[in-house]
Amino acid sequence: MVKLSLQEKFAFQFIFNEKKVYHRWYGRFLSFGIDFGRLKRVVARIPNWMQWCEEWTKEGDELHRKAEQALTEGYRTKAKALFHEAVGCYHVGQHIFFIDCSQKEGSQEKARRSYKQAISLYEDKDKPIRIEIPFKGVEIPAYLRLSGIPNKPLVIFVNGMDNIKEAEGHSQGTLYKQHGFNFITFDGPGQGELWKDMKFDVKEYHKAVSAIIDWVEKQQDYQMDTQKIALTGFSLGGYLAPVSAAYDKRVKCVVGNSGLVYIGGLQGLKQLNPIWQRGVTYMTGCLTLEEAVHQFDWDIEMAPNLQVPLLFYHAGKDEVMPSPKIHSEKIMKWAQGDKQLKYYEEGEHCTMNYLDEVFPEMIDWLKHNLAMN
């Protein structure tokens, strides 16, 4: 466990609680399969942030045990559902829990194990396909969801600081598959499963996305329309998806949600919430912000201008970044193609309290811009 500053000790003891912080995350937690009753029960037994990962991991362990029991009793549908919810609990536990990397990584590994058990129970036509894509001497771990319909577009989901492909990526994949899209979710440099082999460097990330598109174009068996590729991303992915689309002209349109589109150097990093500062050093593998700034500093206006359609969401009450309105204005100034800004004045980070509106709108917008029949 890392040594905490006095500011962090105070925040984690007295500020991080359901009333002030946790409730802001619930929209996303619910979106990838955590039952609301379970969410409330687990949070109720967490005395402070220091116990967050431990309690959620215990809940995941219990769900995993019940899933295995259901499987031995012949209840395959129940087992699959419980394995998936166990993944969700493990993900929630490790979510921005940068104060104890051993706990965080242990919970992530349990999530990956439960996910593999869950998808082993799918019919072949619906089963997520594990793929590993060569990139700079490592392999990008990913899952491909096929629409089951020949020549349909592909959506590639770009993770944020602390998403994992087995949780949020899976739930979004299910949604897109239902609407006729092919879908890829992956852990990029500094994220999830790839973190151990390759740390985050903003200058390299868009190259990883292009490597995925390179791989897609070489495939003959999956019958995807490789002329219709879109990117979507939430949080840090809300920046990484648009900027990756700007670098790779094969991307036909892009959706970003709550992207942090500029940092402002070391001074900007120091203005971030202490939790996100810990995330910066974790993703980059650095000990200090002074070291990390070389890998975690950008301004979207310095990247090539985006020429393809952009749908961008931002939230007026985004607690992750200072001045969300400025981020919205900068990305709209930078994007040169058709562009739409959806700014929710009362929205929390990733518009998570408006996802019931946002997700179906994204689907409609992508169908239109990818000319789906």
Side-chain angles (χ1 to χ4, degrees):
M1 185 176 292
V2 299
K3 185 177 180 180
L4 302 178
S5 66
L6 289 176
Q7 180 187 17
E8 288 173 319
K9 289 178 180 177
F10 180 84
F12 298 160
Q13 185 72 31
F14 300 108
I15 296 176
F16 271 54
N17 54 51
E18 181 168 28
K19 184 177 181 180
K20 294 182 178 179
V21 177
Y22 303 157
H23 72 276
R24 293 176 171 175
W25 303 334
Y26 291 170
R28 284 173 80 186
F29 293 170
L30 294 171
S31 75
F32 56 76
I34 300 293
D35 177 76
F36 183 68
R38 188 177 305 282
L39 191 160
K40 298 290 285 186
R41 291 194 299 273
V42 177
V43 169
R45 67 178 193 242
I46 297 175
N48 60 60
W49 176 245
M50 305 299 290
Q51 277 71 51
W52 178 268
C53 187
E54 180 181 355
E55 289 300 325
W56 276 106
T57 301
K58 286 180 181 177
E59 192 72 10
D61 288 344
E62 179 61 14
L63 278 168
H64 187 271
R65 183 192 66 78
K66 289 181 177 180
E68 289 189 319
Q69 180 179 348
L71 193 57
T72 62
E73 295 171 352
Y75 296 113
R76 291 173 61 86
T77 301
K78 179 180 179 181
K80 182 172 73 172
L82 294 180
F83 279 131
H84 273 306
E85 193 169 7
V87 172
C89 289
Y90 292 133
H91 172 51
V92 170
Q94 68 85 42
H95 173 252
I96 67 171
F97 198 77
F98 301 111
I99 58 176
D100 190 334
C101 294
S102 62
Q103 280 195 61
K104 178 181 180 64
E105 292 155 26
S107 294
Q108 279 197 16
E109 187 57 39
K110 287 183 174 183
R112 289 189 279 271
R113 175 197 62 181
S114 290
Y115 187 72
K116 289 175 182 177
Q117 289 174 282
I119 66 175
S120 72
L121 300 173
Y122 279 64
E123 298 294 332
D124 285 345
K125 64 182 178 63
D126 295 321
K127 184 180 297 185
I129 301 167
R130 169 79 177 197
I131 56 178
E132 295 176 344
I133 299 159
F135 177 65
K136 292 186 176 293
V138 301
E139 291 182 327
I140 299 169
Y143 285 98
L144 168 64
R145 308 288 296 277
L146 293 174
S147 68
I149 307 169
N151 301 315
K152 290 297 182 180
L154 170 67
V155 173
I156 301 174
F157 177 60
V158 182
N159 269 341
M161 176 176 281
D162 215 31
N163 296 351
I164 59 175
K165 62 189 178 304
E166 293 83 5
E168 207 155 356
H170 176 82
S171 64
Q172 291 205 28
T174 299
L175 174 67
Y176 282 99
K177 177 178 168 62
Q178 289 172 347
H179 288 276
F181 294 91
N182 301 296
F183 183 87
I184 287 178
T185 178
F186 69 99
D187 292 329
Q191 299 169 327
E193 189 176 352
L194 189 55
W195 177 85
K196 290 183 179 179
D197 294 325
M198 180 175 284
K199 302 301 187 282
F200 182 85
D201 186 334
V202 70
K203 298 180 291 297
E204 299 297 316
Y205 198 96
H206 69 89
K207 299 176 185 177
V209 175
S210 291
I212 294 172
I213 299 175
D214 291 342
W215 179 89
V216 167
E217 289 188 329
K218 295 174 184 176
Q219 302 310 304
Q220 302 295 323
D221 298 333
Y222 298 129
Q223 296 183 297
M224 295 181 283
D225 187 343
T226 58
Q227 300 303 307
K228 295 180 179 180
I229 296 175
L231 303 181
T232 66
F234 282 52
S235 193
L236 178 56
Y239 162 75
L240 294 171
V243 81
S244 295
Y247 277 103
D248 197 314
K249 306 306 180 186
R250 294 170 294 182
V251 177
K252 294 301 185 283
C253 59
V254 60
V255 180
N257 193 320
S258 296
L260 185 71
V261 305
Y262 79 98
I263 299 296
L266 182 59
Q267 181 180 359
L269 290 180
K270 289 184 175 180
Q271 291 176 352
L272 295 176
N273 180 300
I275 277 285
W276 312 121
Q277 292 181 21
R278 294 282 186 191
V280 169
T281 54
Y282 178 83
M283 286 190 76
T284 58
C286 296
L287 295 177
T288 66
L289 292 177
E290 285 78 5
E291 294 176 27
V293 71
H294 302 293
Q295 297 161 236
F296 208 97
D297 185 30
W298 57 81
D299 185 331
I300 201 166
E301 292 182 5
M302 303 302 291
N305 291 107
L306 184 69
Q307 304 295 330
V308 299
L310 168 70
L311 174 61
F312 193 77
Y313 294 88
H314 228 314
K317 293 188 175 180
D318 194 319
E319 80 285 2
V320 171
M321 64 192 72
S323 307
K325 182 74 80 174
I326 294 176
H327 289 268
S328 299
E329 291 170 352
K330 282 180 75 73
I331 198 168
M332 287 295 109
K333 177 182 177 182
W334 166 76
Q336 298 300 301
D338 181 50
K339 53 193 174 184
Q340 294 184 49
L341 172 65
K342 302 286 184 174
Y343 193 87
Y344 286 80
E345 292 285 356
E346 299 299 313
E348 304 285 357
H349 184 56
C350 293
T351 58
M352 65 181 67
N353 50 336
Y354 289 94
L355 291 179
D356 59 329
E357 300 177 21
V358 167
F359 276 130
E361 182 174 60
M362 287 171 57
I363 294 290
D364 283 337
W365 187 88
L366 288 165
K367 285 183 175 180
H368 172 74
N369 282 280
L370 294 172
M372 289 182 70
N373 296 327

